[in-house]
Amino acid sequence: MIEKRKPLNLPLDRRSGVPLHLQIQQRLLAQIRSGEFMLGKPLPSIQQIAASMGVSLMTVRQAMRALNEIGVLYSRQGVGTFISGIKMERDFRQVLSFTEETIARGSTPTSKVISFGAQQPTPNVQEALNLGEKDLVYSLRRVRYRDDVPLGIECSSLPVQLFSGLMEDFDPADSLYIELARKYGVQFMVTDEVIEVGGATAEEAHLLDIAPHSPVFHFTRISYIENGVPVEHVKSVYSGERYKIVNRLMRTKH
Amino acid sequence: MIEKRKPLNLPLDRRSGVPLHLQIQQRLLAQIRSGEFMLGKPLPSIQQIAASMGVSLMTVRQAMRALNEIGVLYSRQGVGTFISGIKMERDFRQVLSFTEETIARGSTPTSKVISFGAQQPTPNVQEALNLGEKDLVYSLRRVRYRDDVPLGIECSSLPVQLFSGLMEDFDPADSLYIELARKYGVQFMVTDEVIEVGGATAEEAHLLDIAPHSPVFHFTRISYIENGVPVEHVKSVYSGERYKIVNRLMRTKH
DNA sequence: TAGTGGTCTAGACCACGGC
DNA sequence: CCGTGGTCTAGACCACTAC
C-alpha cells in the first residue's frame, strides 16, 4: 500500500493509453460533482494542479479548456478558475439519434415501420442528396414511440448508390451512425437541421393519436460525411403536445 | 520590399496584440473561402504551416482545433487535415440576441414596446429567477419586427434587485448583454432554452397579424451569469409562418 | 508585487496510415 | 519506412487582477 494524504487523489495512469488531459478532465468533473469546489471560490490554480499531478501546465490547460467550452468552468485572467454553478454537462452540439436520446432520458424507445423500400426521391430529397435524375433512395418511414406513446413520424431517405451494401443486413432498429462507422470508417458527420412548426395532417394525426391540425414540429435534417457528401435526409413530424426541445447556449466576450 | 513567392502569404503581425493562433485561424478561413484548398486533398501539414509562418507546432494546432470544433476542418491521424466541404462557419452554440441575429442575416430589426415597468412576477418567473415572495421584476414586452414584418412577441423579466441601477439609463433598444458586460464585467453567460409549439391566442394573432390558432413557436429562455445566478427570463411567441430555426449538429467517434 | 490565466516556443515521443 | 496528427514537457513572456 502507498500512503496518501488525500485518498481520492490517485496518481494519473500514464500507461493506460488514455491521454492525461482526459484523465484530468474526468477527475475535475468528478470533483465538481462531489461538491469539492465552492461556488464563489477559485479552483486550485493551473500551476498547483500541474504540480500536484506531476504534469506540465499545457496539459492542465487542455483539460480545462474542454470544461470551459461546455460551460462547466469559466476562467478569468488574473483571478482564477471557477465552477459555473450550472447543473448540466451535456454537449448540445452532439447529434443524438432518437434511440440514443430516448435512452439518455431514461425512457424506452420503440418504432413501428410504416414503409421501407427503394423508390424515386421527392424533388426536395433529390436536391438535398445531390442525386441524378434516375437515382433511387431507400426510404424508411417509422412511427417513433417513447414508453409506448407515439411521439413522432420519421421519414429517412438514403441514396441506394451509397448504401446498397449497407442495407443488405441493416436492421432498421440499429443505429445508422454506428453502422456507417463500422462499415465505412466514417468518423465525422455534420447534420444541418431546420425546425419549423405546422399543423398535423389527418394521416399524421391518426398515426400520432392527436387531433387534426394540432401544432407539430417539422424537422428537416440533412447529414453529411466528412468530405461534404450528403448521405441522409430525414423529414420528421413530432407532436407538439408530447415533445419539446431543450437547448443550452453560451455567450462569451461582450 | 521583401520578395515573396506567394503575395498573399504575408507574415503574421506579432505586435498587433492579436494572438497568433487567431491570426492563423483567420488566414486559414480566408484560404478555405477563397477555394485555395481542394475538397479531397489534405491541407499543408501542421509542420509545413508552422515552418512557413515561423511559429511552433502548438500554435498551429490551437488554430486548427478551433476550426475543427466548428466543423470547418477535420483531421485524421496519420493522414492529414481536410476541409469538411460544408458551407457555413457559424458557431451555433453562441447565443445571439434578436437584434444581432437579424442583422447577421442582413435584415433590419425593429421593436415596438407594448409594456415596460416593475411588477409582480408570475409564479413561473418567480421560480425561474429564484425570487422571494415580495421581489419584483422589470417586465418588458415587445413585438419584434424583421424588415417591418412582425415576427414574434418577447416578454423579458429581470429582477429589480439586480438591475435597479442598470435600468435607470437602459434603452430597451440596446443589447442587455453588452450592458451587463459594460456595467458589471460579466464575461460569461449561459442560456437554457426550451422550445415548444402551440397555437396563437387571439391577442398574439392580432399583434403578429396572423390567423388565430396558427402554429407558433414558444421559447422559454433563462439566462445565468457565471456564478449560476439567473438574471433573465424570456418568454417568446414567434410566428410559425415567418420563423424557423436553423441548427448544426456534430457527430464524432462511433 | 505576487499570483493568476493566456500565449508561445522548441523540442520530444507516440499512434496511425499509406507506401 | 516516412509523414501525419495527437500528446506532452519545461520552460518563457505577457496581461490582468488583487493587495
Side-chain angles (χ1 to χ4, degrees):
Chain A
M1 293 291 289
I2 302 168
E3 286 180 276
K4 292 182 200 64
R5 295 186 198 165
K6 298 183 182 178
L8 281 175
N9 209 7
L10 298 168
L12 299 172
D13 186 350
R14 298 183 103 97
R15 273 181 267 173
S16 67
V18 178
L20 295 180
H21 67 91
L22 284 182
Q23 294 185 44
I24 297 169
Q25 190 179 321
Q26 290 307 314
R27 185 170 303 193
L28 287 171
L29 268 180
Q31 288 176 297
I32 292 164
R33 277 193 285 256
S34 76
E36 189 169 329
F37 301 132
M38 302 299 293
L39 191 75
K41 282 180 57 182
L43 270 61
S45 72
I46 289 175
Q47 290 84 344
Q48 288 168 359
I49 294 174
S52 77
M53 294 189 177
V55 299
S56 82
L57 299 181
M58 288 292 287
T59 307
V60 178
R61 281 188 222 287
Q62 193 170 352
M64 285 193 161
R65 177 174 37 240
L67 297 179
N68 240 285
E69 279 168 2
I70 60 172
V72 171
L73 299 178
Y74 66 97
S75 295
R76 300 253 301 248
Q77 205 175 58
V79 186
T81 300
F82 303 82
I83 58 174
S84 75
I86 292 159
K87 326 283 176 305
M88 268 175 304
E89 292 158 14
R90 210 184 116 203
D91 186 348
F92 286 93
R93 288 175 303 165
Q94 285 282 330
V95 208
L96 291 178
S97 67
F98 176 80
T99 305
E100 292 167 315
E101 180 86 36
T102 307
I103 291 172
R105 293 179 184 279
S107 296
T108 305
T110 50
S111 297
K112 185 174 72 181
V113 174
I114 301 174
S115 63
F116 181 34
Q119 61 179 61
Q120 190 100 15
T122 67
N124 278 344
V125 173
Q126 190 178 82
E127 189 194 341
L129 295 180
N130 204 12
L131 297 175
E133 285 294 319
K134 298 192 176 177
D135 294 326
L136 298 183
V137 293
Y138 285 112
S139 179
L140 171 60
R141 194 146 179 265
R142 288 177 287 187
V143 181
R144 300 292 215 164
Y145 301 82
R146 177 174 65 200
D147 296 335
D148 298 325
V149 175
L151 261 197
I153 305 163
E154 283 189 11
C155 183
S156 305
S157 301
L158 304 148
V160 167
Q161 288 178 296
L162 295 172
F163 295 102
S164 58
L166 185 74
M167 283 296 162
E168 282 168 12
D169 59 347
F170 178 61
D171 178 354
D174 285 351
S175 164
L176 170 69
Y177 306 104
I178 292 173
E179 199 72 0
L180 277 174
R182 196 172 62 79
K183 283 208 173 173
Y184 296 89
V186 172
Q187 293 286 343
F188 175 90
M189 194 178 237
V190 167
T191 299
D192 280 334
E193 173 182 66
V194 176
I195 307 173
E196 296 166 291
V197 302
T201 66
E203 188 214 11
E204 288 161 0
H206 176 250
L207 287 169
L208 295 177
D209 194 20
I210 56 178
H213 311 296
S214 309
V216 291
F217 283 105
H218 286 173
F219 297 98
T220 308
R221 287 182 165 190
I222 304 170
S223 295
Y224 304 83
I225 56 176
E226 50 201 14
N227 58 6
V229 173
V231 295
E232 189 193 23
H233 177 283
V234 182
K235 191 112 186 53
S236 314
V237 177
Y238 274 75
S239 158
E241 294 166 29
R242 300 176 194 147
Y243 195 76
K244 63 186 176 187
I245 299 164
V246 179
N247 229 338
R248 169 162 292 176
L249 308 160
M250 308 282 173
R251 170 173 283 269
T252 54
K253 313 292 155 51
H254 71 270
Chain B
M1 294 290 289
I2 303 168
E3 287 181 276
K4 292 182 199 65
R5 294 185 197 167
K6 298 182 181 178
L8 280 176
N9 210 4
L10 298 169
L12 300 172
D13 185 350
R14 300 182 101 97
R15 273 181 268 172
S16 67
V18 179
L20 294 179
H21 68 91
L22 284 181
Q23 294 185 46
I24 297 168
Q25 190 179 321
Q26 291 307 314
R27 185 170 303 192
L28 287 171
L29 269 179
Q31 287 175 297
I32 292 164
R33 278 194 284 256
S34 77
E36 189 168 329
F37 302 130
M38 301 299 293
L39 192 74
K41 282 181 57 184
L43 269 61
S45 73
I46 289 175
Q47 290 85 343
Q48 288 168 0
I49 294 174
S52 76
M53 294 191 178
V55 299
S56 82
L57 299 181
M58 288 291 288
T59 307
V60 178
R61 281 188 222 288
Q62 194 171 352
M64 284 192 162
R65 176 173 38 237
L67 297 179
N68 241 285
E69 279 167 3
I70 60 171
V72 171
L73 299 178
Y74 65 97
S75 296
R76 300 254 300 249
Q77 205 174 56
V79 186
T81 300
F82 303 83
I83 58 174
S84 75
I86 292 159
K87 325 286 176 306
M88 267 175 304
E89 293 158 12
R90 209 185 117 201
D91 186 348
F92 286 94
R93 287 174 304 166
Q94 284 282 329
V95 207
L96 291 178
S97 67
F98 175 80
T99 305
E100 292 167 315
E101 180 85 36
T102 307
I103 290 172
R105 294 180 183 279
S107 296
T108 305
T110 50
S111 297
K112 185 174 71 181
V113 174
I114 300 173
S115 63
F116 181 35
Q119 61 180 60
Q120 190 100 15
T122 67
N124 278 344
V125 173
Q126 189 179 82
E127 189 194 342
L129 295 180
N130 204 11
L131 297 175
E133 286 293 320
K134 299 192 176 176
D135 294 326
L136 299 183
V137 293
Y138 285 112
S139 179
L140 172 60
R141 194 146 178 264
R142 288 177 285 187
V143 182
R144 300 292 215 163
Y145 300 82
R146 177 174 64 200
D147 296 334
D148 298 324
V149 176
L151 261 197
I153 305 163
E154 283 189 10
C155 183
S156 305
S157 301
L158 304 146
V160 167
Q161 288 178 295
L162 296 172
F163 295 102
S164 57
L166 186 73
M167 282 296 162
E168 283 169 11
D169 58 347
F170 179 61
D171 177 355
D174 284 350
S175 165
L176 171 68
Y177 305 105
I178 291 173
E179 198 72 0
L180 278 173
R182 195 173 62 79
K183 284 207 175 175
Y184 296 89
V186 172
Q187 293 286 342
F188 174 90
M189 194 177 236
V190 167
T191 299
D192 281 335
E193 173 182 66
V194 176
I195 307 173
E196 296 166 290
V197 302
T201 66
E203 189 215 9
E204 288 161 359
H206 176 251
L207 287 169
L208 296 177
D209 194 20
I210 56 179
H213 310 297
S214 310
V216 291
F217 283 106
H218 287 174
F219 297 98
T220 308
R221 287 182 164 191
I222 304 170
S223 295
Y224 304 84
I225 56 176
E226 49 202 16
N227 59 5
V229 173
V231 294
E232 189 194 23
H233 177 284
V234 182
K235 191 112 186 54
S236 315
V237 178
Y238 274 75
S239 159
E241 294 166 28
R242 300 176 195 148
Y243 194 78
K244 63 185 176 188
I245 299 165
V246 179
N247 230 337
R248 168 161 293 175
L249 308 159
M250 308 282 173
R251 171 172 282 270
T252 54
K253 312 293 155 47
H254 76 266

